[in-house]
Amino acid sequence: MSHATAASVADGRGGPPPGVATPGGMPPSVSPLRWLALGLAAVCIFSSYYESDAIGPIADLLGRQRGFTQSQIGDLTAVISLPNIPLALINGLLIDRFGPARVTLWAALIGFIGAVLTAVGSPYELMWLGRFIFGMSEGAIFISLVAGVALWFSRGGIALAMALFLSLARVGSFSLDTSPSWARSLYDSGWQPPLWLGAGITCLGLVAAVVFFLIDSKRVPPGLRSPAAVQKIKWSQIWRFDLSYWYILGLHVLYAAVFFPFRQTYAIEYLQHAKGLTLQQAGNVNSGVFAAAVFATPVFGLLADRVGHRALLLTMGTLLLPVTFAILGLTDLSPWISTVLMGVSWSLVPAIIWPATTLLVAPQRLGAALGMITLLQNVGLWSSNRCAGWLADKAGAGPAHPEGYATMLVFFGAVSLVALTSVVLLWLRERGPNGHGLEIARAAAAAA
């Protein structure tokens, strides 16, 4: 990966990647290939997000047609986090060692294998194994693509580039949630055909990863690569990150532990059982979160580049999470109200949190930093999915007892309040003398 100045390395702060030459003598931030690279990265993450969420729309089918319990259904989503607990940090160090494009290709191939095994899906243990193998890909491919996009775009434009990248990820989630409508015939045929569709989409992502790998060689010609780019990373460096990094890591972990388990695994089923919606209606309501993010995420990314105040914007976006669960659990308001609030939150927080993280860490340590985030994030995702499923089972949640979902909503609301505490601490630190420029607008940051 690209290297920061000696001063940046010393204090662990991120800086703009140096102008590594590309064909034609242009730095990667102005290379015309950067838009192709961004598009390919977006296709890769689209396919990963589609398959990652695949259990949610068929949760009710798995319960009715295969007799799965809430805990078993929750575990099919939780299990994709398990391999990333031991592997996430290793994946980050592999990115620093071999480059984002190579790791993306490896991850996409593993993900395709996992999706195929999931679609075969019988017995339960084979489906679980398929999800486990896919999880090995899901954690690695996201951080490798984040690191890859960061290398192609300058510090000043990284928020907009990352927001556009994330928008296609949201299209993946949106497409999955609306698939009971546009692929209704597959769902009418049972639980298995929708999973084969997901396997086909992961194959598309694998093709994009191959092309991404091929054009990455044009970003830095072999003769211009620095020998330092493949040096070994010391594990001790991981613990020397600045306090702001650990605050934003807390937000990464806790926000994901609320959003993904609820929206991926339980939201559609909850809307069916507690709000009386059909599968198609519930899928459309849940998809509204991702539909909003497709268009709003780039807007928030551009806003962060233009006006700064990234930590403040993260605080505002996180605040919407506990409000959302309060409305769902304590009122009879239309489910679309919660969808709008969570959609704004989901547009705002990811649009800013990932590029903000790249500004807190020196480029040559970015893989390790993202790996640490992914490791702890997957601990949170696995624990949250399992805990929510256990609470729902204990309370007897289901179509005959929709009130049983209340304890699950309280759990998600409580975790979101802890996430809010973490981001408030980040905001307070970034306003002081130890800040890293998260509150500064793009022009000032680019000149730093």
Side-chain angles (χ1 to χ4, degrees):
M1 297 181 70
S2 301
H3 289 257
T5 63
S8 295
V9 172
D11 66 10
R13 297 184 183 186
V20 179
T22 59
M26 291 181 292
S29 59
V30 295
S31 167
L33 286 175
R34 70 192 188 280
W35 296 109
L36 176 58
L38 180 62
L40 292 167
V43 173
C44 289
I45 203 62
F46 164 90
S47 66
S48 180
Y49 266 53
Y50 187 99
E51 179 64 21
S52 177
D53 293 358
I55 298 302
I58 63 170
D60 182 63
L61 294 175
L62 292 174
R64 289 189 292 107
Q65 296 179 0
R66 301 194 62 184
F68 290 177
T69 66
Q70 294 285 354
S71 293
Q72 286 179 310
I73 293 170
D75 203 28
L76 288 174
T77 298
V79 69
I80 68 175
S81 303
L82 270 182
N84 291 299
I85 296 173
L87 294 180
L89 193 53
I90 295 173
N91 289 335
L93 297 176
L94 287 174
I95 291 169
D96 288 337
R97 182 75 170 84
F98 296 104
R102 190 181 299 273
V103 175
T104 295
L105 179 57
W106 295 341
L109 178 58
I110 293 170
F112 174 63
I113 294 171
V116 169
L117 292 178
T118 301
V120 174
S122 184
Y124 175 84
E125 290 74 17
L126 182 62
M127 180 181 280
W128 188 94
L129 178 63
R131 294 293 284 172
F132 180 88
I133 293 173
F134 174 78
M136 296 172 64
S137 163
E138 191 260 354
I141 201 167
F142 183 82
I143 62 171
S144 64
L145 289 170
V146 168
V149 171
L151 291 182
W152 278 96
F153 287 82
S154 68
R155 179 186 176 101
I158 184 61
L160 178 58
M162 201 71 70
L164 292 170
F165 162 73
L166 290 172
S167 287
L168 261 292
R170 309 305 175 238
V171 172
S173 297
F174 172 80
S175 300
L176 187 279
D177 275 347
T178 57
S179 61
S181 295
W182 59 262
R184 184 167 185 167
S185 60
L186 296 181
Y187 286 87
D188 288 344
S189 299
W191 59 271
Q192 194 171 34
L195 293 179
W196 280 116
L197 174 61
I201 290 174
T202 60
C203 183
L204 176 65
L206 175 59
V207 173
V210 171
V211 181
F212 185 78
F213 173 75
L214 293 175
I215 71 163
D216 186 69
S217 62
K218 299 182 181 298
R219 180 177 61 82
V220 185
L224 296 179
R225 294 185 188 273
S226 168
V230 293
Q231 68 182 359
K232 292 184 178 180
I233 303 298
K234 296 180 180 179
W235 290 82
S236 60
Q237 291 180 347
I238 295 166
W239 308 108
R240 290 161 48 193
F241 293 124
D242 184 82
L243 187 57
S244 287
Y245 165 79
W246 295 105
Y247 286 147
I248 207 168
L249 178 148
L251 179 59
H252 274 286
V253 172
L254 296 167
Y255 189 96
V258 173
F259 183 88
F260 286 109
F262 181 68
R263 285 294 172 181
Q264 283 183 321
T265 310
Y266 299 107
I268 292 177
E269 186 180 37
Y270 168 78
L271 292 171
Q272 287 178 267
H273 298 166
K275 300 297 182 180
L277 304 184
T278 66
L279 172 60
Q280 287 71 32
Q281 289 172 329
N284 288 335
V285 170
N286 199 47
S287 71
V289 172
F290 305 107
V294 169
F295 302 103
T297 300
V299 174
F300 286 126
L302 182 61
L303 179 67
D305 275 340
R306 299 260 179 205
V307 306
H309 298 295
R310 295 171 180 84
L312 176 60
L313 290 170
L314 286 173
T315 302
M316 295 168 60
T318 305
L319 177 61
L320 294 176
L321 275 188
V323 174
T324 297
F325 288 105
I327 289 175
L328 278 175
L330 301 176
T331 75
D332 292 324
L333 294 174
S334 168
W336 281 103
I337 302 296
S338 66
T339 292
V340 170
L341 291 176
M342 191 166 277
V344 172
S345 176
W346 184 233
S347 302
L348 179 53
V349 173
I352 297 172
I353 194 171
W354 289 106
T357 303
T358 69
L359 300 181
L360 297 176
V361 181
Q364 81 279 10
R365 296 170 63 193
L366 182 58
L370 295 176
M372 176 63 80
I373 288 171
T374 306
L375 186 157
L376 296 178
Q377 197 173 66
N378 280 279
V379 172
L381 287 169
W382 179 82
S383 302
S384 184
N385 264 300
R386 293 300 301 270
C387 187
W390 180 81
L391 288 171
D393 277 339
K394 280 291 184 182
H401 185 56
E403 296 82 4
Y405 288 101
T407 54
M408 183 178 69
L409 295 184
V410 170
F411 166 73
F412 285 131
V415 176
S416 66
L417 288 175
V418 182
L420 181 61
T421 302
S422 184
V423 73
V424 167
L425 291 173
L426 173 68
W427 176 46
L428 293 175
R429 180 173 176 80
E430 287 299 311
R431 293 178 64 199
N434 295 314
H436 298 71
L438 295 191
E439 301 301 280
I440 300 174
R442 177 176 62 180

